[in-house]
Amino acid sequence: LDTRVEDLAYLIQNLDKLSIGNQNLATLADTQKIGLFGHSFGGLTTLQFLMDKDLPQVKCGIALDVPYFNMDSTANISLKAPVLFMSSDFIKLSGSKVKLRGINDFLAAYTKGNLHEANVKGAAHYNFTDMNYLPKFMKLTPMLGSISQKEAVTILKFYTENYFNSLLKDEGLNKLEEAISTEVEYRKIEATK
């Protein structure tokens, strides 16, 4: 995890040195407004990055179907940017079902930004990946949940696009509160007192 966080920090700190063809990346994209996202261990990498690094160009993150855990009890838990958690109802870890809705709520007490959650009912862990684009028989495996593959893609696209637009393009978070599907429970995570 530490290696992944350091690699990501190195990449972000050197974005202005990268070129695509003969054009510098900074002329093609706003390298001063960056959003991170990842699924599963990639989501954990996003969360750990937002705790370990304080790069001003990183404005927010999305963690897809990941419960945050820290194996170092002496570590400082402090998120330096807002995060949207998108989660299925549960994931299977070591043969047990772990309920994901609300599992990261405790992080609200350790963040400088707002936390949000979009819980997708009927989704399974791999509904947050491109497995939704595989043939429909994939739905018959335990990899995908009972939600339709098309609806899972629509939900994932809506929330990632609008969350990043709201925080990277200053469009406001109000669009996230739209009820685009009866399968989504969206909420702002409030710090408990």
Side-chain angles (χ1 to χ4, degrees), residues 103-145:
I103 200 166
N104 295 310
D105 285 8
F106 75 97
L107 291 172
Y110 304 99
T111 186
K112 291 181 183 176
N114 293 320
L115 301 181
H116 301 263
E117 181 183 59
N119 178 255
V120 184
K121 297 179 279 182
H125 193 60
Y126 289 99
N127 281 115
F128 296 94
T129 70
D130 55 3
M131 280 197 162
N132 288 302
Y133 292 101
L134 295 175
K136 295 204 184 292
F137 70 81
M138 288 298 295
K139 187 174 179 173
L140 302 174
T141 74
M143 293 181 190
L144 297 177

Side-chain angles (χ1 to χ4, degrees), residues 44-145:
L44 186 58
T45 302
T46 295
L47 293 172
Q48 197 63 52
F49 182 95
L50 294 174
M51 289 185 190
D52 291 353
K53 303 298 178 187
D54 197 4
L55 300 179
Q57 63 269 48
V58 178
K59 306 296 184 193
C60 60
I62 298 176
L64 302 171
D65 217 37
V66 60
Y68 177 74
F69 64 91
N70 189 332
M71 294 181 288
D72 179 1
S73 62
T74 64
N76 181 23
I77 297 178
S78 176
L79 281 166
K80 295 166 180 64
V83 175
L84 168 65
F85 296 98
M86 289 193 69
S87 63
S88 56
D89 290 326
F90 63 86
I91 61 172
K92 292 180 183 175
L93 291 174
S94 302
S96 300
K97 288 183 178 181
V98 177
K99 180 183 171 205
L100 287 181
R101 185 181 187 285
I103 200 166
N104 295 310
D105 285 8
F106 75 97
L107 291 172
Y110 304 99
T111 186
K112 291 181 183 176
N114 293 320
L115 301 181
H116 301 263
E117 181 183 59
N119 178 255
V120 184
K121 297 179 279 182
H125 193 60
Y126 289 99
N127 281 115
F128 296 94
T129 70
D130 55 3
M131 280 197 162
N132 288 302
Y133 292 101
L134 295 175
K136 295 204 184 292
F137 70 81
M138 288 298 295
K139 187 174 179 173
L140 302 174
T141 74
M143 293 181 190
L144 297 177

